[in-house]
Amino acid sequence: MNVKIDFHNVTLRFKKFEALKNISASLEANKIHGLIGRNGAGKTSLLSLVAAFREATDGQIMIDGEPVFENPDKMQQVMFVYDKSYAEEYDKIPAMLEFVERHRPYYDKEYADYLLKRFKLPLDKPVHKLSKGMQSAMNAVMGLASRAPITIFDEAYLGMDAPTREIFYQEILADQAEHPRTFILSTHLVSEMDYLFDNVVIIDQGRLILNEDYETLTARGASITGAAEQVDEFTAGMKILNEQKLGGTKKVMVYGTLDEQRLSAARQQGLDIGPVSLQELFIHLTEEAQ
């Protein structure tokens, strides 16, 4: 399912407030895209446009070269899963899944049945009587089993405990390997979920800060660990993201690519060079954008 998403100068206004500001980007097909941003950055606004829940004020969102808004063929290719209240939902899980099956042509019932067992979900209780964690797991089943060419999870893990979230992540990776599609995962749990991402999209205050391959992005920083004095000397003049000291040992995270000459010099001084976390880079990039 080779389904690509293009944003062309997308702006979204609510009266005088600009939720999204002139966003242009392409999201490659069959990749897992991590969408990250601070609270109120515009993540959900952006995703609601992809799902055609609303129309952009200016600009256009295209799926495989066609506008998605009021385009039934393209709309059914998108499954948008988000955290919502089920307080008034008296149906049981099978009825919820039947609705997905009717409206999403790639839905896989056999896979849904497998996921229901994997998440240990009860089929005989009304949805409003399920715990928050079970409702979140049901959301995960609906999104995964839809096999929609574009599957969006917007903070869909809310309510899941850590073991359930781990099952959710495992299933995303396993199904992506067998049945590739375009995933967009919007999250605050950056350090927990970063290993899932092929590509990272960062937005801040409605603006696109970055849309980049995960490996390329994380290579922009490094952690340097060793004797405090040597680490300070080596990192002098670099952009420091974070530093920690324990006794005579220091670990410093820096922003900037280290060339082979610098890496060789670090090794000769007995310094350990490691990767920098996506979370540290995210904090730095969104601080810079303020």
Side-chain angles (χ1 to χ4, degrees), residues 5-223:
I5 309 167
D6 291 298
F7 301 88
H8 298 293
N9 306 110
V10 171
T11 294
L12 180 64
R13 292 187 201 91
F14 299 105
K15 295 185 178 176
K16 291 184 178 178
F17 174 68
E18 268 193 331
L20 299 170
K21 302 167 185 178
N22 198 34
I23 289 179
S24 292
S26 291
L27 300 186
E28 278 185 57
N30 299 337
K31 302 272 189 188
I32 301 177
H33 301 273
L35 175 62
I36 59 179
R38 295 171 182 239
N39 286 336
K43 301 187 297 298
T44 298
S45 293
L46 188 71
L47 297 176
S48 68
L49 295 180
V50 178
F53 281 17
R54 55 169 59 96
E55 186 178 15
T57 311
D58 294 306
Q60 193 74 268
I61 293 179
M62 316 287 274
I63 291 179
D64 276 353
E66 290 185 35
V68 66
F69 189 72
E70 293 185 338
N71 182 337
D73 288 342
K74 295 303 175 189
M75 287 165 68
Q76 69 178 5
Q77 291 185 28
V78 182
M79 182 70 182
F80 183 22
V81 181
Y82 56 96
D83 183 55
K84 63 181 178 181
S85 170
Y86 286 113
E88 302 297 320
E89 186 53 72
Y90 292 88
D91 277 335
K92 296 170 186 173
I93 289 177
M96 304 289 286
L97 290 171
E98 281 168 19
F99 180 83
V100 179
E101 186 171 12
R102 276 199 306 274
H103 295 278
R104 294 295 177 270
Y106 298 97
Y107 178 82
D108 187 324
K109 187 176 187 309
E110 190 178 323
Y111 182 41
D113 291 341
Y114 158 79
L115 290 170
L116 291 170
K117 291 186 181 74
R118 185 96 158 89
F119 285 107
K120 298 184 172 68
L121 288 172
L123 305 185
D124 56 350
K125 274 189 178 180
V127 170
H128 76 279
K129 288 195 171 176
L130 299 178
S131 68
K132 179 66 176 168
M134 285 183 175
Q135 290 175 355
S136 294
M138 179 190 72
N139 282 341
V141 173
M142 290 194 294
L144 288 167
S146 76
R147 290 243 169 94
I150 297 170
T151 301
I152 301 169
F153 287 107
D154 185 13
E155 307 283 6
Y157 54 78
L158 292 175
M160 291 184 194
D161 57 23
T164 308
R165 291 200 304 274
E166 186 56 36
I167 292 170
F168 176 46
Y169 305 155
Q170 288 170 5
E171 287 302 328
I172 288 173
L173 291 177
D175 203 57
Q176 184 70 343
E178 293 294 321
H179 304 274
R181 57 178 127 166
T182 305
F183 276 106
I184 307 176
L185 309 179
S186 168
T187 183
H188 285 101
L189 299 178
V190 178
S191 59
E192 185 174 293
M193 293 178 68
D194 58 2
Y195 75 99
L196 300 171
F197 306 153
D198 299 310
N199 188 67
V200 177
V201 179
I202 298 178
I203 64 173
D204 193 59
Q205 297 179 23
R207 288 191 169 85
L208 179 70
I209 302 299
L210 180 142
N211 176 24
E212 197 162 346
D213 172 80
Y214 175 84
E215 299 293 342
T216 305
L217 173 59
T218 52
R220 284 196 201 176
S223 68

Side-chain angles (χ1 to χ4, degrees), residues 221-240 243 250-274:
S223 68
I224 295 101
T225 308
E229 198 173 311
Q230 286 180 302
V231 170
D232 286 339
E233 188 180 321
F234 183 80
T235 58
M238 293 185 184
K239 179 153 279 200
I240 292 173
E243 51 185 86
K250 194 170 190 179
K251 180 179 181 179
V252 173
M253 292 203 177
V254 298
Y255 184 70
T257 307
L258 301 179
D259 60 26
E260 198 50 51
Q261 190 176 351
R262 298 276 295 176
L263 290 171
S264 178
R267 284 191 284 267
Q268 285 171 9
Q269 292 175 45
L271 298 174
D272 286 331
I273 306 292

